[in-house]
Amino acid sequence: MTSSPASGAPSRDEPPPDSAEPGAPARLSHREVVVVLSGLVLGMFLGALDQTVVSAALRTIADDLNGLTAQAWVTTAYLVTGTIATPLYGKLSDIHGRRRVYLAAIVLFTLGSLLCGFAGSIHQLAAFRAVQGLGGGGLMSLAMTVIADITSPRERGRYQGWFMAVFGGASIVGPVVGGVFAGYDSLLGLDGWRWIFLVNVPLAAVALAVITRVLRRVPHTPVRHRLDWGGAAALTVGVVPLLTVAEQGRAWGWTSPLALGMYAVGAAGLVVFVLVERRMGEAALLPLRLFRIRSFRLGTVLHFTVGIGMFGAMTTLPLYLQLVRGLSPMAAGLAMLPTMAANVAVTLTVGRLMSRTGNVKVHMVTGIGCFTLAMVVYATLGVDSPLWQVALGMLFMGAGLGASMQTMTTLAQSEVPRTDMGAATASVNFFRSNGGTVGAAAFLSVLFSLAGSRIAERLAGAFREPSVRQLAEQPENAEVLKGVLRPDGSLDLEDSAFLHTLDPRLARPFLEGYVGAMQAVFLVGAAVLLLAFVIAAWRVPNLKLSDE
């Protein structure tokens, strides 16, 4: 965001800048940067945790609220509002200071968490998750903006490595935390899964206290900006209908009149958004001039495509572990630990290597390649696949994300002027969140679109066996199947709890149907990541990061 500094004094809540040059980095010592970092990682942890914390518990939540096939709304609502809000946070923080806007984001996030803890339906929960996302969108983008403010491009690899470790670790710890709470039928008088959201309240209180103190160390030169509300409105109109049809396409029909109407509204909104951004110029929500910078353009494209795979895998894999392998939510969360271990180890290692050598591309290409291989491993999983095969895929995924996420962010920031750093960092987060929203919605939508027909095929084949028909006619099994098999021959998959009570031989066709649908979903993810690998290997320049 290029704009000249306001003629007034620096904001009252933060000290004057150390440098007289507008937009120049505030040269803090390593110790001072670490103090600031300690506050930022708390906020980032909260935001990243709630992107995936519901994934392991989603089946329990959806069964309790009777909305298994509508569960994607719970994930996508958070990602949609966070995606839309992210660019606004960059602009607001330029005007009012990073600390003040960061604190406002935490308060909004906490309010959404409280509302989620007392939701009474799956759609109400999705609405409250949208409130959470409005706050969460600022927690991550502002953290990376502050570090970019006070470090050189090469130093960023060292410090952003910690951010990416926290981001990746929280994204993977999320299912563990969600699984632990979902494993309780009741905790202190409330459903166990509700504590997934209520536990954010004390964590947010700690984050508020720490950030209030440490961000006073970060200088801020306020700038005059008009807020691009027209661009925000047009972006909302453009993005929300397309994400909605991604989630509801299986129910509406991908070429139904309603779906076609959504496509048209979304396309019109995006066209209007581009026109508004061109007219707004320096005050644009996402300045179009940034896309003339090759490294920024490639970084945002890669964040979008890798984000599709990341969030798609993080929402689908726990369903495999629970629906197919029969793990409890807590066990499914703990089973994701290999991903976290690989992610943290590789993230910190790559961060130090980037700081020492200034090389980015080699780590990025290797990371995206590992993640692509993980999707291929997931696509080979069957009903009886050994858990070591699942863990192997998790190790590849954790290592791939650890090597690629921070390098893609550094690539996008590497050639951007410091006066545009807030807008650039917000844009990176916008595209990653947008990709994540598409991935979570599309993966689950495709999964449940395919699952019904594939389960029906396997049931038809199983019922040709006289022994299976006799088994299905037994009173206890017949009663269970009555709630699943509709008179018109379709299936009611809103509640998966019946798999626990159905005879294993009758449950087998359901499990095989789910696995077949998941294999197709993971192959789609592998294709998307292969595209990202090709872009990274053949289009990204071999940059050497500056130490200034």
Side-chain angles (χ1 to χ4, degrees):
M1 299 173 199
T2 49
S3 183
S4 59
S7 58
S11 59
R12 288 175 295 177
D13 63 330
E14 301 183 57
D18 293 338
S19 174
E21 180 188 352
R27 288 297 182 182
L28 303 182
S29 68
H30 171 67
R31 182 176 180 180
E32 288 174 315
V33 173
V34 169
V35 171
V36 173
L37 189 71
S38 68
L40 297 176
V41 294
L42 279 172
M44 175 171 272
F45 180 81
L46 281 172
L49 184 72
D50 269 71
Q51 289 188 339
T52 59
V53 71
V54 299
S55 59
L58 204 49
R59 176 187 170 190
T60 300
I61 296 171
D63 286 348
D64 189 46
L65 299 178
N66 195 31
L68 184 65
T69 59
Q71 63 179 296
W73 286 112
V74 178
T75 301
T76 56
Y78 181 93
L79 293 173
V80 165
T81 53
T83 297
I84 299 299
T86 293
L88 283 172
Y89 276 110
K91 186 87 44 117
L92 287 168
S93 68
D94 283 343
I95 299 171
H96 300 291
R98 312 297 190 209
R99 183 173 70 97
R100 189 177 299 173
V101 177
Y102 211 141
L103 294 177
I106 293 177
V107 170
L108 192 56
F109 176 84
T110 307
L111 174 62
S113 298
L114 276 171
L115 291 172
C116 287
F118 296 99
S121 70
I122 197 74
H123 294 99
Q124 195 177 79
L125 178 60
F128 295 152
R129 285 275 287 169
V131 176
Q132 242 192 338
L134 288 174
L139 297 181
M140 290 183 288
S141 64
L142 289 176
M144 287 191 285
T145 300
V146 171
I147 285 298
D149 284 342
I150 61 177
T151 59
S152 69
R154 183 173 291 195
E155 288 174 325
R156 274 174 223 153
R158 181 180 184 184
Y159 298 113
Q160 285 184 346
W162 285 100
F163 277 153
M164 293 299 103
V166 170
F167 176 80
S171 298
I172 297 154
V173 167
V176 179
V177 174
V180 169
F181 283 119
Y184 288 96
D185 291 331
S186 178
L187 186 62
L188 299 179
L190 295 172
D191 296 321
W193 63 263
R194 296 184 184 275
W195 289 98
I196 291 171
F197 307 106
L198 296 178
V199 74
N200 287 332
V201 177
L203 291 176
V206 174
L208 276 171
V210 174
I211 288 171
T212 299
R213 178 174 177 270
V214 302
L215 286 197
R216 290 183 183 275
R217 298 171 179 263
V218 179
H220 170 63
T221 302
V223 294
R224 290 193 182 106
H225 276 316
R226 287 181 297 159
L227 285 177
D228 184 11
W229 296 113
L235 186 62
T236 303
V237 172
V239 171
V240 172
L242 297 179
L243 296 176
T244 300
V245 77
E247 199 280 335
Q248 291 293 315
R250 60 183 168 78
W252 298 343
W254 299 105
T255 58
S256 67
L258 184 55
L260 293 175
M262 287 289 188
Y263 298 143
V265 171
L270 292 177
V271 170
V272 172
F273 173 71
V274 172
L275 295 176
V276 170
E277 297 306 274
R278 290 181 63 183
R279 183 173 60 83
M280 292 297 292
E282 297 294 322
L285 190 67
L286 293 178
L288 299 182
R289 66 181 178 278
L290 291 177
F291 292 92
R292 300 191 191 105
I293 302 173
R294 184 184 182 190
S295 59
F296 174 81
R297 186 170 62 247
L298 290 170
T300 54
V301 169
L302 288 171
H303 266 291
F304 180 81
T305 50
V306 175
I308 291 175
M310 176 182 177
F311 286 97
M314 294 304 294
T315 52
T316 307
L317 192 57
L319 287 176
Y320 170 81
L321 294 172
Q322 293 179 69
L323 284 174
V324 179
R325 302 309 302 267
L327 298 184
S328 68
M330 181 170 65
L334 291 172
M336 300 289 288
L337 287 177
T339 310
M340 182 183 69
N343 178 269
V344 173
V346 173
T347 294
L348 297 180
T349 301
V350 168
R352 289 186 175 276
L353 288 174
M354 277 202 302
S355 179
R356 185 180 308 156
T357 66
N359 293 326
V360 174
K361 181 174 179 176
V362 63
H363 309 300
M364 183 189 308
V365 172
T366 303
I368 297 174
C370 282
F371 196 5
T372 306
L373 187 57
M375 285 293 192
V376 174
V377 172
Y378 294 149
T380 64
L381 295 175
V383 176
D384 301 314
S385 295
L387 287 179
W388 65 259
Q389 186 177 348
V390 185
L392 179 64
M394 290 178 181
L395 288 173
F396 281 128
M397 182 168 74
L401 289 173
S404 63
M405 294 304 289
Q406 62 180 313
T407 51
M408 291 187 300
T409 300
T410 303
L411 171 69
Q413 294 173 333
S414 61
E415 296 179 328
V416 172
R418 285 189 177 274
T419 49
D420 281 333
M421 194 58 69
T425 306
S427 298
V428 166
N429 283 275
F430 169 80
F431 281 96
R432 183 181 61 238
S433 295
N434 222 343
T437 306
V438 170
F443 272 44
L444 289 177
S445 183
V446 172
L447 170 62
F448 285 105
S449 293
L450 296 176
S453 61
R454 300 202 175 192
I455 291 172
E457 291 173 3
R458 284 160 177 78
L459 280 174
F463 282 154
R464 295 191 188 100
E465 298 290 332
S467 59
V468 175
R469 290 199 302 271
Q470 292 175 2
L471 194 62
E473 292 169 358
Q474 294 178 1
E476 61 275 16
N477 291 323
E479 184 64 26
V480 174
L481 290 174
K482 182 180 178 181
V484 180
L485 304 178
R486 293 175 176 147
D488 62 359
S490 62
L491 300 171
D492 182 358
L493 301 177
E494 292 292 337
D495 189 337
S496 63
F498 72 91
L499 291 172
H500 295 301
T501 56
L502 194 63
D503 186 281
R505 286 170 291 179
L506 288 173
R508 181 82 183 191
F510 289 93
L511 301 182
E512 291 176 345
Y514 276 124
V515 166
M518 289 177 185
Q519 288 173 342
V521 167
F522 286 126
L523 283 175
V524 171
V528 171
L529 288 169
L530 183 60
L531 174 62
F533 177 82
V534 171
I535 293 172
W538 273 273
R539 300 295 298 170
V540 172
N542 198 11
L543 297 174
K544 196 82 167 179
L545 296 177
S546 168
D547 198 23
E548 298 179 359

